Amino acid sequence: PKAPGEVAAAGGCMELPRETRMDEELSACEVRRRFFLPIIAPGVLQGKSGAVVTPMLPIFVAVNLHGSKSAVGLIASAYPLAALVSATPLGVLLRKIPYTASSCAALVTLICTAAISYTSQSVAELFLVRLVGGVAMTVWDMSRKAYTSAEIPKGMMGRIAATLAGAQKLAIAFAATLSGLIAQHVSTRSIFLVQIGFTGTALLMLMVHEVRTKGCRSFVGASRGPAGADGRGARSSGDAPSTLSVIRETWQSLLGAGVFCALLTGIRNTWAILLPLHGHHVGISKAAIGGTIAIQRCVEAAITLSVGGHIMDKYGRKVGNVPALVIIAVGIAVLPLSRELAPFVLSAVLYAVGNGLTGGIIVSFNSGLAPPHARTQFIGLFKTITSIGGIVLPPALGVIADVTDSLEMASIVISAMALFCALWLAIVVRDTPREARGVGLATPT
């Protein structure tokens, strides 16, 4: 029998001792436990908060505010537009602000914008309010990614990111069902009140975390980035690198992975308005639309949690995600053919299979590529590029639908964009370095 660690003659692979594999699995479980209160629980609640609004927002704009399809696209682009404008300066600012403080401030702002959205009477008013909310959401997202980048080993990044994404998808599934029921039986406007409830609970969770870690000053130092083990943030030593120097150092990652994530974000954001608009157009009830989105999210979560992150860490980011984008393109192309509930659900499930395989890839790229000495600056730049897709594609869908008077043509264009996104990932984006793969859990969880 071979000694532990001896190179196996047949496969040429390093054989890890059983104790080492067990320690790695325990360490990954410990990472999840450690992140539950400051990251996972608030992320799930905030995911529910956004998911309550997203499915019914296009219908709210079209019916309650009497907006056109272009107006629906404009409202959908408000968050990405805010991210485009604010992400880079926030990357510099957040380097000195503790994780808990920045996250709590973001959640308070989101509660206020949800309350104003509830009383909004025009598309312009709702757009301005969601711009402010978009800045707050950018702060929340960047703080969370900086924290995970500092604390998670790169070899576990895919699986931990998939865990976070899967947990959020399950929360979104519940919230989508709730959104449809509330819009159907109470009022579409009431979704903003439910959003306030979920965001307020996430804020409470972070405050509990702050109380539990009060007095702790075990900052991890500049080499680990802006987030310490207690969630308060690290004090960096020395001057922060300039934005230009970070761009020069990471331009290949920003161009390759950044553009890919921008395309994927735009496709996801466009699907989020395309599906409910099409359902409403063909006469499917709001409750059935919410239920369909819940089924989609459950399928996504099951795939993301079971295999998505494991494939990324073991085989690289291309093996699972290139075919996943082809499946997404097929799902979007099937949507115009659905005139009844069954094919409508089938289109959503096809999309869910592909999107489930891509679960966590943006967080994995964003956090995994960030240089340790300039995490928030890189994440801000990456967020700026990623937001472009969310700004361009949803309004483009609205314009195409208005000009052609057809959602079918818009669906074909977005399906083609998904295929282009697959080609970009396959040809342009650099894959995970081979030596960084397979570190962490021995099996997917």
Side-chain angles (χ1 to χ4, degrees):
K2 300 180 181 65
E6 183 179 342
V7 177
C13 300
M14 187 68 72
E15 187 179 356
L16 294 176
R18 175 180 174 82
E19 294 80 3
T20 302
R21 294 196 300 269
M22 290 175 65
D23 288 344
E24 288 170 349
E25 186 164 357
L26 287 173
S27 65
C29 293
E30 178 59 33
V31 167
R32 290 182 175 90
R33 284 194 296 269
R34 177 184 181 185
F35 272 66
F36 179 78
L37 194 58
I39 293 292
I40 295 177
V44 167
L45 289 165
Q46 182 55 28
K48 285 183 180 181
S49 170
V52 167
V53 173
T54 302
M56 295 299 125
L57 185 62
I59 298 174
F60 174 74
V61 175
V63 176
N64 294 68
L65 302 184
H66 309 290
S68 64
K69 294 182 180 67
S70 297
V72 172
L74 179 66
I75 295 297
S77 69
Y79 271 27
L81 180 60
L84 176 69
V85 174
S86 63
T88 299
L90 283 173
V92 177
L93 179 63
L94 291 176
R95 195 169 188 267
K96 296 290 186 179
I97 300 177
Y99 161 74
T100 306
S102 59
S103 298
C104 286
L107 292 179
V108 169
T109 305
L110 286 168
I111 290 172
C112 295
T113 56
I116 299 172
S117 298
Y118 175 74
T119 63
S120 61
Q121 299 298 324
S122 68
V123 171
E125 180 184 359
L126 182 62
F127 178 72
L128 292 175
V129 170
R130 287 186 67 81
L131 280 178
V132 177
V135 175
M137 197 65 196
T138 303
V139 172
W140 164 261
D141 186 56
M142 290 177 59
S143 298
R144 194 170 62 114
K145 286 175 180 173
Y147 186 82
T148 56
S149 175
E151 296 299 317
I152 297 177
K154 287 187 182 297
M156 292 182 184
M157 188 64 71
R159 279 157 287 185
I160 300 300
T163 298
L164 295 172
Q168 282 190 307
K169 289 176 190 296
L170 287 174
I172 290 170
F174 168 78
T177 304
L178 182 63
S179 175
L181 291 173
I182 290 173
Q184 184 77 26
H185 300 292
V186 183
S187 70
T188 307
R189 193 178 290 272
S190 298
I191 57 178
F192 296 108
L193 297 179
V194 182
Q195 181 184 27
I196 292 173
F198 282 133
T199 304
T201 309
L203 177 62
L204 180 62
M205 296 291 289
L206 279 178
M207 292 173 67
V208 169
H209 171 69
E210 177 69 9
V211 170
R212 287 184 60 181
T213 58
K214 190 175 182 179
C216 179
R217 291 294 182 269
S218 56
F219 297 114
V220 294
S223 63
R224 293 288 300 280
D230 62 348
R232 292 170 172 267
R235 305 291 189 258
S236 71
S237 58
D239 296 330
S242 67
T243 300
L244 286 177
S245 66
V246 176
I247 292 174
R248 283 195 296 267
E249 180 183 350
T250 62
W251 68 269
Q252 289 178 311
S253 296
L254 293 171
L255 176 63
V259 171
F260 163 76
C261 292
L263 291 170
L264 181 59
T265 299
I267 292 165
R268 287 173 171 175
N269 290 1
T270 305
W271 174 261
I273 64 174
L274 181 62
L275 185 68
L277 274 181
H278 179 80
H280 183 68
H281 177 70
V282 298
I284 297 173
S285 69
K286 295 175 184 176
I289 292 172
T292 301
I293 294 173
I295 293 172
Q296 171 196 316
R297 292 300 186 176
C298 285
V299 173
E300 288 179 5
I303 294 174
T304 298
L305 289 170
S306 60
V307 297
H310 180 68
I311 291 174
M312 274 194 286
D313 283 343
K314 188 171 183 179
Y315 302 106
R317 297 184 177 104
K318 294 186 179 183
V319 171
N321 287 282
V322 171
L325 284 157
V326 176
I327 298 172
I328 287 175
V330 172
I332 297 173
V334 169
L335 183 63
L337 305 177
S338 60
R339 291 291 184 270
E340 297 178 354
L341 183 59
F344 183 73
V345 173
L346 174 62
S347 174
V349 169
L350 282 172
Y351 175 88
V353 172
N355 202 38
L357 287 170
T358 66
I361 189 172
I362 293 180
V363 175
S364 179
F365 270 131
N366 205 339
S367 301
L369 296 175
H373 61 281
R375 279 195 175 91
T376 56
Q377 291 98 316
F378 176 83
I379 290 173
L381 290 167
F382 201 91
K383 182 78 174 175
T384 300
I385 295 173
T386 302
S387 63
I388 294 174
I391 293 170
V392 173
L393 290 186
L397 176 140
V399 171
I400 293 170
D402 280 337
V403 170
T404 63
D405 196 24
S406 169
L407 284 171
E408 287 79 3
M409 182 58 68
S411 299
I412 293 171
V413 172
I414 301 305
S415 179
M417 289 301 300
L419 292 176
F420 177 77
C421 188
L423 287 174
W424 186 272
L425 177 61
I427 298 172
V428 178
V429 180
R430 287 201 246 178
D431 208 343
T432 310
R434 187 175 297 274
E435 62 273 12
R437 299 178 194 167
V439 182
L441 276 77
T443 56
T445 58

